[in-house]
């Protein structure tokens, strides 16, 4: 199975251009916001986080990991892991400073963020997109069409920026989850739904994506072994990511000095 | 004043009223634990129906269900117990709600792995995951075995985080662990009272945190070579080493639930009897003794292993007997003395506490018999074994945990008790006793444990057990419904003003 892995980079000009535009756009907004005063400091970490997020995105798609995604399902799942669990939270963290003060955003944008950042909405979007793109017909389409594949990756990024938002935003911001109970429940729900998909893939006894058995040099048996590995790659690191996210996002609540009555 | 505005008067709240957040986290543990118990209980019913020949499931599914029921129940009762002890301790020892929530997420992630490994992956090697069986399944793959190991890894990690936090919190609150374990008082035979003594429940929290860390450590030590073997880094694992460590892990976490929930009796019973239960010398001695004894008694599960050194077998036998002295004599006699002529009102929580004491005694007697080497040789693979541990789980630990959650929700919500619910509490005892008795009778008649298909002549025991299980299910549903009606107002009360000191 490992023989199918080819050490090559896959430079994609449209993607590079899109990421460059995103970075420049971010810098423009960032510079205006942070230099316009109103007590805001120039947030270099925000810029660094956002840039790191875009770099991970680029690496996931264009490095040998992404370049092998049509040959090996396991490589494809590493790519998805990087998009959902590394790039998306970095991008969300970077953008945080820009929308920290919701009052300064245009009303329509504020309303959209507030809607998307509702935990139930964010969870539903991320879950539906993750499962829908792993359904064999949609996945098969992404494998044969580069634009569809691009849309798939972009939608993972967007869906998971939306997923991480309620955890990353502080309660005072748009959409921040207020309570530790809510955060813990939300994290567990996210871990369980992606874990279940990983488990189904790990334990499947038939090929979900026959394409991988048709790759020159592959067999049905090797593709099945690769599929098992791919499921584990979605499942196990996901659990670690969610456990780490719990450590980072479950904050100590402000102490509650309850007044003495009576 | 509406119920929602009523100030809370309870020993649960810290003097500076700052433990609301820790209480909420603790309540989440208890509710998650008891909710899981209900689901796993349904799987138990399914197995008993199958063994009675009243509903047939395939052997492959029976073993999946058995594995999930066993591991799920052990994890669930432990979770409820951990929540209880955190709630009880938080009134006098500041705990970090953040640490509690993180440990909960990690722990529940582990449960997710176990559920998927069994229900999706078909793993059916039993909750004990005894090496090398998990890796040689015919109906499940190596991936399923690895997934169950991963589940245990996260559960052990969650437990470890919880216990380490408790230990640090206790050390901070009391100045040192020696003080939190009342050692000066203990070793001076009760004469030296210079150090402020911990409350019994605090002392017990330290004891279980130490043993919890040892158990979690053993689990992790067990898992590392198994993962190494699966990855091809090593070729074999010594089976006796693996068995010792997996039992040190599994048996100890099963024991932890029982001892933690006994700690809850110390915390809650005085409120019902109106008598204090102070940290006397016997209490300090008993619980300090439990630290080594709880780690020794697992080896009564290895009597059938001829390769195990005889010294360890004897240690196991002595440990199993010796642990009865501190736990039964001190806790049971102490609790009975507290109840005797106290004028206690037999409301739901005291009924459940009393049932728990009863279950502890009978389960313990069953365990003592099983820990006796000649008896063990005959009984160990019969239903006698599930009988003894179901006794002190269903009628002991679970009853204590339910009682404690009840007492917390009662105190916080301030709502009055429904008369019918008391009947449900008694029904719990009757259903539980009948169900367990049939396990004992089956064991005494040499019906083997872990058999998916029972011979027609064995089915009669399971058939008699089924109505009792249904009674148990009914009472649990009733109690849970009643608890759920109090939960919201109790949760909100943790944010409300409190009365008095
Ligand atoms: C609620 C009612 C319950 C019912 C009806 C029930 C029923 C059963 C049955 C039929 C078995 C299989 C016995 C065999 O043939 O070996 C079993 C096993 C087991 N039960 Fe329960 N049980 C209940 C509650 C509990 C509780 C509260 C615990 C707490 C820890 C528990 C832990 C276990 C364990 C550890 C096993 C052994 C699994 C294995 O061998 O891998 N059960 N139970």
């Amino acid at each position: 199975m490992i023989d199918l892995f080819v050490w090559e980079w896959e430079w994609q000009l449209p993607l590079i251009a899109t990421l460059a535009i995103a970075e420049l756009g971010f810098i423009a907004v960032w510079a205006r916001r942070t230099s316009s005063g109103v007590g805001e400091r120039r947030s270099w970490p925000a810029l660094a986080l956002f840039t790191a997020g875009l770099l991970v995105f680029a690496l996931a798609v264009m490095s040998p990991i992404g370049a092998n995604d049509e040959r090996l399902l396991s490589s494809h799942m590493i790519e998805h892991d990087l998009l959902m669990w590394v790039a998306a939270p970095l991008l969300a963290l970077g953008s945080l400073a820009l929308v920290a003060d919701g009052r300064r955003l245009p009303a329509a944008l504020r309303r959209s963020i507030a809607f998307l950042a509702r935990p139930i909405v964010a969870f539903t979007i991320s879950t539906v997109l993750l499962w829908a793109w792993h359904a064999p017909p949609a996945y098969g389409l992404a494998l044969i069409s580069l634009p569809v594949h691009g849309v798939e990756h972009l939608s993972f990024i967007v869906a998971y920026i939306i997923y991480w938002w309620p955890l990353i935003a502080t309660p005072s911001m748009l959409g921040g989850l207020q309570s530790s109970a809510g955060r813990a429940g939300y994290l567990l729900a996210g871990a369980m739904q992606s874990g279940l998909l990983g488990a189904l893939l790990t334990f499947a006894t038939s090929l979900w994506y026959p394409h991988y058995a048709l790759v020159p040099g592959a067999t049905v048996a090797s593709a099945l072994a690769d599929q098992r590995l791919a499921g584990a790659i979605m499942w196990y690191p996901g659990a670690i990511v969610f456990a780490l996210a719990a450590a980072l996002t479950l904050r100590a609540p402000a102490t509650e000095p309850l007044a003495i009555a009576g | 004043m509406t119920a929602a505005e009523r100030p809370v008067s309870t020993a649960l709240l810290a003097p500076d009223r700052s433990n609301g957040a820790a209480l909420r986290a603790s309540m989440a543990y208890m509710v998650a634990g008891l909710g899981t118990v209900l689901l796993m209980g349904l799987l138990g019913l399914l197995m008993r129906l199958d063994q009675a020949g009243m509903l047939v499931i395939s052997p492959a599914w029976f073993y999946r269900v058995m594995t999930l029921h066993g591991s799920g129940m052990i994890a669930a009762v432990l979770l409820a117990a951990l929540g209880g002890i955190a709630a009880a301790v938080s009134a006098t020892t500041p705990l970090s709600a953040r640490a509690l929530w993180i440990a909960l997420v990690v722990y529940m992630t582990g449960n997710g792995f176990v559920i998927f490994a069994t229900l999706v992956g078909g793993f059916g090697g039993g909750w004990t995951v005894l090496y090398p069986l998990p890796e040689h399944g015919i109906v499940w793959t190596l991936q399923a075995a690895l997934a169950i190991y991963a589940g245990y890894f996260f559960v052990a990690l969650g437990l470890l985080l919880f216990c380490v936090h408790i230990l640090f919190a206790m050390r901070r609150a009391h100045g040192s662990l020696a003080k939190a374990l009342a050692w000066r008082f203990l070793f001076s035979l009760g004469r030296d009272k210079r150090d402020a003594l911990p409350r019994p429940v605090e002392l017990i929290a330290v004891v279980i945190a130490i043993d919890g860390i040892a158990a979690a450590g053993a689990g992790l030590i067990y898992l590392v070579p198994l993962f190494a073997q699966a990855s091809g880094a090593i070729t074999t694992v010594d089976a006796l080493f693996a068995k010792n460590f997996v039992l040190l892990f599994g048996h100890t976490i099963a024991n932890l639930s029982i001892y933690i929930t006994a700690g809850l009796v110390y915390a809650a019973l005085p409120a019902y009897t109106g008598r204090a239960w102070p940290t006397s010398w016997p209490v300090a001695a008993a619980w300090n003794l439990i630290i080594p004894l709880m780690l020794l008694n697992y080896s009564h599960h290895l009597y059938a292993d001829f390769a195990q050194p005889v010294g360890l077998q004897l240690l196991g036998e002595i440990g199993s007997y010796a642990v009865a002295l501190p736990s039964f004599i001190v806790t049971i006699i102490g609790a009975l003395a507290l109840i005797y002529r106290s004028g206690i009102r037999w409301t739901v929580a005291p009924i459940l506490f009393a049932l728990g004491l009863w279950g502890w005694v009978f389960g313990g007697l069953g365990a003592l018999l099983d820990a006796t080497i000649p008896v063990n040789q005959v009984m160990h693979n019969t239903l006698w074994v599930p009988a003894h541990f179901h006794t002190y789980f269903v009628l002991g630990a679970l009853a204590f945990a339910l009682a404690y959650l009840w007492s917390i929700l009662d105190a916080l919500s301030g709502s009055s008790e429904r008369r019918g619910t008391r009947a449900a509490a008694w029904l719990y005892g009757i259903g539980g006793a009948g169900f367990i008795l049939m396990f004992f009778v089956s064991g005494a008649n040499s019906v083997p444990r872990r058999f998916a298909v029972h011979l027609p002549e064995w089915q009669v025991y399971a058939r008699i057990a089924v109505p009792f299980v249904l009674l148990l299910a009914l009472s649990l549903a009733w109690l849970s419904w009643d608890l759920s009606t109090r939960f919201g107002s109790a949760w909100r009360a943790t944010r409300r003003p409190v009365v008095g000191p």
Side-chain angles (χ1 to χ4, degrees):
Chain A
M1 182 171 69
I2 196 82
D3 319 337
L4 298 179
F5 191 87
V6 181
W7 189 262
E8 66 180 16
W9 287 71
E10 194 175 64
W11 302 110
Q12 296 178 23
L13 279 181
L15 179 66
I16 295 173
T18 313
L19 295 182
I21 292 169
E23 176 73 358
L24 290 175
F26 182 85
I27 291 176
V29 180
W30 171 81
R32 213 180 41 238
R33 283 235 178 264
T34 52
S35 62
S36 63
V38 211
E40 281 185 37
R41 283 178 294 115
R42 187 175 282 270
S43 171
W44 288 101
L47 181 59
L49 287 165
F50 191 85
T51 310
L54 290 183
L55 279 176
V56 174
F57 190 163
L59 271 177
V61 177
M62 293 187 294
S63 75
I65 294 169
N68 280 283
D69 61 9
E70 284 159 24
R71 264 187 295 274
L72 289 166
L73 180 58
S74 48
S75 203
H76 206 161
M77 288 305 124
I78 298 177
E79 186 182 25
H80 289 179
D81 283 5
L82 287 171
L83 296 179
M84 297 183 302
W85 293 329
V86 186
L90 285 173
L91 292 172
L93 276 167
S95 323
L96 206 62
L98 302 194
V99 291
D101 187 356
R103 283 163 308 181
R104 295 174 58 193
L105 296 175
L109 183 60
R110 203 171 57 218
R111 269 199 303 277
S112 328
I113 295 181
F115 174 74
L116 291 173
R118 278 189 204 163
I120 185 74
V121 175
F123 174 74
T124 309
I125 290 177
S126 54
T127 306
V128 168
L129 279 174
L130 183 70
W131 284 72
W133 276 117
H134 286 88
Y139 191 95
L141 200 61
L143 282 177
I144 52 171
S145 154
L146 201 59
V148 176
H149 206 160
V151 172
E152 180 203 46
H153 290 158
L154 204 65
S155 61
F156 279 151
I157 279 282
V158 174
Y160 270 83
I161 289 179
I162 295 174
Y163 174 80
W164 293 113
W165 188 262
L167 291 163
I168 287 172
T170 57
S172 59
M173 285 178 190
L174 289 172
L177 259 167
Q178 302 282 341
S179 67
S180 300
R183 285 167 177 267
Y186 185 74
L187 275 166
L188 277 172
M192 291 303 150
Q193 65 87 3
S194 59
L196 178 59
L197 184 59
L200 288 170
L201 202 53
T202 307
F203 298 130
T205 47
S206 59
L207 279 181
W208 280 18
Y209 315 118
H211 165 96
Y212 288 106
L214 304 175
V215 172
T219 60
V220 171
S222 75
L224 208 51
D226 178 44
Q227 178 170 293
R228 277 200 289 269
L229 180 63
I233 285 170
M234 179 185 288
W235 189 5
Y236 290 62
I240 296 169
V241 167
F242 282 98
L244 277 177
L248 294 173
T249 64
L250 284 164
R251 306 191 190 94
T255 38
E256 292 167 11
L258 297 170
I260 302 174
Chain B
M1 190 185 294
T2 67
E5 291 160 344
R6 197 183 305 130
V8 182
S9 172
T10 163
L12 283 168
L13 287 159
D16 62 357
R17 281 102 187 136
S18 57
N19 66 330
L23 263 183
R24 284 194 294 283
S26 314
M27 282 157 67
Y29 276 62
M30 285 187 270
V31 169
L34 295 172
T36 311
V37 163
L38 293 183
L39 296 176
M40 298 299 124
L42 290 178
L43 298 185
L45 172 63
L46 189 66
M47 283 189 287
R48 222 46 189 135
L49 283 169
D50 175 71
Q51 291 175 335
M54 297 161 90
L55 187 151
V56 180
I57 49 178
S58 71
W61 266 99
F62 179 89
Y63 289 114
R64 290 174 179 197
V65 166
M66 185 191 80
T67 305
L68 179 56
H69 167 83
S71 46
M73 277 293 194
I74 294 280
V77 178
L78 179 62
L79 190 61
L82 294 175
I85 200 102
V89 157
S90 73
T92 43
T93 305
L95 294 183
S96 153
R98 176 170 184 246
L100 296 180
W101 281 111
I102 294 171
L104 179 64
V105 170
V106 174
Y107 194 97
M108 293 302 284
T109 304
N111 285 344
F113 270 92
V114 174
I115 293 171
F116 298 153
T118 48
L119 294 186
V120 187
F123 183 79
W127 88 275
T128 41
V129 295
L130 202 55
Y131 177 83
L133 176 63
E135 285 157 51
H136 297 281
I138 299 169
V139 292
W140 66 85
T141 57
L142 178 64
Q143 283 71 32
L146 289 178
I148 200 121
Y149 291 155
Y152 281 27
F153 175 85
F154 279 100
V155 167
L157 200 61
L159 174 65
L160 189 66
L161 291 173
F162 180 94
C163 292
V164 168
H165 173 59
I166 293 283
L167 225 48
F168 273 103
M170 286 298 173
R171 209 191 56 170
R172 209 177 317 113
H174 291 272
S176 71
L177 281 184
K179 286 183 184 166
L181 287 166
W183 276 3
R184 207 196 278 259
F185 176 68
L186 176 68
F187 293 119
S188 67
L189 299 182
R191 282 191 288 271
D192 190 339
K193 294 182 180 159
R194 273 176 294 166
D195 294 337
L197 288 177
R199 293 189 295 142
V201 70
E202 290 176 314
L203 172 66
I204 294 167
V206 182
V207 168
I208 62 97
I210 293 172
D211 280 351
I213 290 171
L220 299 177
I221 290 174
Y222 173 65
L223 292 170
V224 168
L226 298 187
F227 281 121
Q229 191 190 27
S231 70
I234 55 173
T235 46
T236 51
V237 177
D238 182 86
L240 193 59
F241 157 87
K243 191 166 185 182
N244 270 285
F245 274 89
V246 77
L247 279 166
L248 181 55
F249 168 61
H251 192 265
T252 309
I253 62 167
N255 269 243
L256 275 177
S257 305
I258 298 163
Y259 290 99
I260 299 171
T261 49
L264 302 180
V265 184
Y266 286 81
L269 203 54
Y272 293 95
T273 60
R275 292 172 178 165
W277 197 343
T279 307
S280 58
W281 189 86
V283 168
W287 284 94
N288 271 282
L289 256 181
I290 282 175
I291 299 176
L293 292 179
M294 202 199 300
L295 298 175
L296 282 181
N297 61 9
Y298 80 88
S299 71
H300 61 230
H301 284 267
L302 281 104
Y303 289 158
D305 294 75
F306 59 86
Q308 177 85 336
V310 178
L312 276 177
Q313 306 284 37
L314 286 177
L315 217 57
E317 178 151 20
I318 294 167
S320 308
Y321 280 123
V323 83
L325 288 172
S327 47
F328 290 115
I329 309 285
V330 176
T331 305
I332 306 274
I333 306 245
L336 292 181
L338 214 63
I339 294 173
Y340 184 63
R341 294 197 166 183
S342 65
I344 191 170
R345 277 187 63 231
W346 289 101
T347 52
V348 173
I351 293 171
L352 290 170
F353 276 127
L355 286 175
L357 293 172
W358 188 88
W360 228 39
V361 173
F362 283 92
L365 289 176
L368 273 185
L369 274 176
D370 189 50
T372 307
I373 294 179
V375 179
N376 184 282
Q377 306 281 346
V378 185
M379 302 288 242
H380 199 66
N381 286 323
T382 70
L383 280 174
W384 188 272
V385 175
H388 90 261
F389 65 72
H390 277 85
T391 312
Y392 50 57
F393 272 119
V394 176
L395 287 179
L398 188 55
F400 287 154
L402 263 172
Y404 190 69
L405 179 60
W406 193 276
S407 67
I408 290 190
L409 296 193
D410 236 7
L412 289 172
S413 69
S415 47
S416 49
E417 196 164 287
R418 297 178 179 92
R419 197 173 275 276
T421 316
R422 275 181 222 167
W426 286 118
L427 272 188
Y428 180 89
I430 297 167
F435 150 61
I436 286 158
L437 191 66
M438 293 327 291
F439 262 164
F440 274 117
V441 175
S442 313
N445 284 290
S446 298
V447 177
R449 71 179 289 201
R450 292 180 171 161
F451 264 46
V453 182
H454 278 198
L455 296 177
E457 54 269 38
W458 301 340
Q459 287 180 348
V460 59
Y461 309 117
R463 290 206 172 147
I464 299 175
V466 164
F468 287 103
V469 178
L470 290 173
L471 219 53
L472 188 62
L474 179 73
S475 80
L476 272 172
W478 193 338
L479 289 168
S480 312
W481 165 76
D482 200 324
L483 280 173
S484 70
T485 60
R486 292 152 193 264
F487 188 76
S489 54
W491 186 269
R492 286 188 294 278
T494 59
R495 303 181 201 268
R496 280 212 315 272
V498 290
V499 203

